[in-house]
Amino acid sequence: GLCAFAVAQTPPSTTPATQTPTVITLREAIRRAQANEPVFAAAVAQSKSSALDRSIARSSLLPSVVYHNQVLYTQPNGLLNQAGQGAGAQPSPRFIANNAVREYASQGIVNETIGLKRLADVRLADAASAQADAELEVTRRGLVTAVVRLYYSAIASDTKLTVARRAASEAAGFTTLTRERERAREVAHADVVKAELQQQQRQRDLSDADVAAERAHLELATLLFPNPLTPYTLEPPAANTALVPFQDVQAEAAKNNPEMKSALAVMKASDADVL
């Protein structure tokens, strides 16, 4: 009872300010999708891993160098001996295994092994890296295509929603006007019923357009934000520019086709396995 009384006496808190929607351009949408899409992130990681494997395979062809540098110290036995011609006496070591109390040794070893297996491994790593890069480009283009399609679909759904709202408002005004004319005995009751049916149809169209716009925004938000419920608005696209001639599109597609590059990389990897 005390808790309920305390809650009842507490003045109502003010409603927190709604979050300002983020304005998203097409370029920003593509950037956000590349930063949040897990499949694209996996393709990027695979490309980097293949590049590291390629670097390791190439480094295996380089020679290895090992350098040793050491100092041996032996406790003297208290006696002195002649170090050599022109040199003074020096302490004699306690153990006969060493030549002097302090000995310095330096040794360097350079080793290189070259074999056909290592050359084949380098070719295989090169092919795997090229394949990973091609697959990354395929994933990137697919992601960009999906973002562009959803982006313009959301803008089109917003436009349809605006038109549906205007149509519903005009239908409601027309129904009101028809009822007033009926009261003035200028139209029959059948005209009022027809106007009401048209108004109901426009309301259904408005509901369908509202659902379609919300679905389009949620589909795009799943690629742009970790939370699909993040509010955002889309910036209308700029004026349409002239399209590239179809012949140029065909030439660029044949020259820069990542799927063809991936297939060629797989063939090179198979040749390396055979080698």
Side-chain angles (χ1 to χ4, degrees), residues 70-130:
Q70 60 180 350
V71 177
L72 301 178
Y73 175 76
T74 304
Q75 181 180 1
N77 58 6
L79 302 178
L80 299 178
N81 60 10
Q82 187 66 28
Q85 185 177 4
Q90 65 176 2
S92 299
R94 182 177 294 272
F95 301 100
I96 196 62
N98 294 339
N99 299 320
V101 175
R102 295 178 179 84
E103 290 189 23
Y104 303 91
S106 296
Q107 182 182 26
I109 300 176
V110 179
N111 183 31
E112 182 176 8
T113 303
I114 299 178
L116 187 59
K117 177 64 169 60
R118 294 193 176 187
L119 296 177
D121 290 341
V122 172
R123 292 187 180 182
L124 181 60
D126 291 341
S129 179

Side-chain angles (χ1 to χ4, degrees), residues 1 31 48 101 181 234:
R31 187 193 67 80
K48 293 182 179 179
V101 175
R181 295 185 64 188
L234 298 178

Side-chain angles (χ1 to χ4, degrees), residues 9 15 45 59 63 65 88 111 114 134 148 227:
Q9 295 297 324
T15 303
S59 63
V65 179
N111 183 31
I114 299 178
V148 171
N227 182 11

Side-chain angles (χ1 to χ4, degrees), residues 154-248:
I155 291 179
S157 63
D158 290 341
T159 304
K160 293 179 181 179
L161 179 60
T162 302
V163 173
R165 286 174 178 170
R166 185 183 305 170
S169 177
E170 293 177 354
F174 181 74
T175 302
T176 302
L177 178 61
T178 306
R179 288 172 181 171
E180 293 177 353
R181 295 185 64 188
E182 181 190 16
R183 286 193 294 268
R185 297 182 181 277
E186 295 180 359
V187 296
H189 182 68
D191 294 332
V192 177
V193 174
K194 182 179 179 181
E196 291 176 349
L197 293 176
Q198 290 179 351
Q199 181 182 0
Q200 293 177 2
Q201 181 61 40
R202 296 298 175 266
Q203 288 294 335
R204 285 193 293 268
D205 294 341
L206 176 59
S207 299
D208 294 341
D210 192 8
V211 172
E214 184 177 0
R215 182 181 63 185
H217 278 265
L218 286 176
E219 289 179 351
L220 180 59
T222 55
L223 294 178
L224 304 185
F225 306 100
N227 182 11
L229 300 180
T230 303
Y232 71 96
T233 58
L234 298 178
E235 181 178 338
N240 295 330
T241 57
L243 296 178
V244 180
F246 184 69
Q247 293 78 7
D248 296 342

